[in-house]
Amino acid sequence: MLANEKLFEKLEDSLREKGKIQAFEKENGPITGRMMIMPVDLPDDIDIKMIPGKKPVAFEATFDFYNVAIGIALYRDLRQVASKIWVTPQTDNPDDPDEAWVEFFVQTLAQSIDEDGNFGYPIYSFVNDTSDMTVVPTLDK
C-alpha cells in the first residue's frame, strides 16, 4: 500500500487535468501500478556502513500492488549505499516483492537525487509492463 495514497491521488488528479497521464497512456499503455518514495527514519535494526562525518538518509518505496515497504540508506552527497535493502511488511503475510521492483526502486531513487545530494520528495512513479513516468518535486535553489 502507498505511504500516502491521498497525496498520490492529488498529484494524479493534477496530472490528469494537464493531460499528462493521458499522453503517457496513449504512448505506453495503461498505468497498472504506482510507487512512492519517501525519506524515513532509519530503522534501529539496520546495519550501516559508517563514514566519518557523514550521516546516511533512509528511503522507503511503497506500492499500490504490494503490502510491503522496501528501504535503503544512502549517503546522498556521495551517492553511495550505506545499507543493504530491507523489506518492512505493511500487513500480515504479504507477498515478497519481485527483485525487478527492488531494482526499479533503487534506480529511480538514484536518478532522482541531484549530483550535489539534493532531492525533492515524495518521488512518484506511474508504471506498466513496459514503461514508467516518474515525477519528482523540484527544489528551489
Side-chain angles (χ1 to χ4, degrees):
M1 70 187 81
L2 295 169
N4 189 329
E5 193 168 338
K6 291 194 184 305
L7 195 57
F8 208 111
E9 287 172 358
K10 185 176 177 182
L11 171 74
E12 188 169 355
D13 289 346
S14 173
L15 292 174
R16 283 196 187 283
E17 287 176 15
K18 296 175 183 174
K20 302 227 183 242
I21 298 281
Q22 297 88 327
F24 173 83
E25 291 184 321
K26 183 177 181 182
E27 185 173 324
N28 302 289
I31 292 168
T32 56
R34 291 154 182 80
M35 176 182 76
M36 179 180 227
I37 302 173
M38 301 274 292
V40 296
D41 292 333
L42 188 62
D44 293 332
D45 60 342
I46 301 300
D47 290 330
I48 298 295
K49 292 184 244 173
M50 298 305 296
I51 296 178
K54 300 291 182 183
K55 183 177 178 182
V57 176
F59 295 90
E60 280 187 338
T62 55
F63 306 83
D64 67 354
F65 51 91
Y66 280 125
N67 290 320
V68 298
I70 304 170
I72 193 169
L74 303 173
Y75 292 103
R76 297 175 310 139
D77 55 341
L78 301 175
R79 300 175 64 92
Q80 188 173 5
V81 174
S83 75
K84 293 182 178 181
I85 297 289
W86 68 83
V87 177
T88 305
Q90 296 170 306
T91 62
D92 291 336
N93 302 314
D95 291 334
D96 289 332
D98 187 280
E99 186 65 31
W101 290 112
V102 175
E103 291 175 18
F104 179 71
F105 155 53
V106 173
Q107 290 174 352
T108 302
L109 177 60
Q111 293 169 355
S112 301
I113 297 174
D114 292 344
E115 287 183 23
D116 59 2
N118 290 322
F119 62 95
Y121 66 90
I123 299 167
Y124 305 91
S125 290
F126 300 87
V127 299
N128 63 26
D129 290 341
T130 61
S131 194
D132 74 276
M133 178 174 66
T134 296
V135 179
V136 182
T138 57
L139 299 172
D140 294 332
K141 293 186 179 187

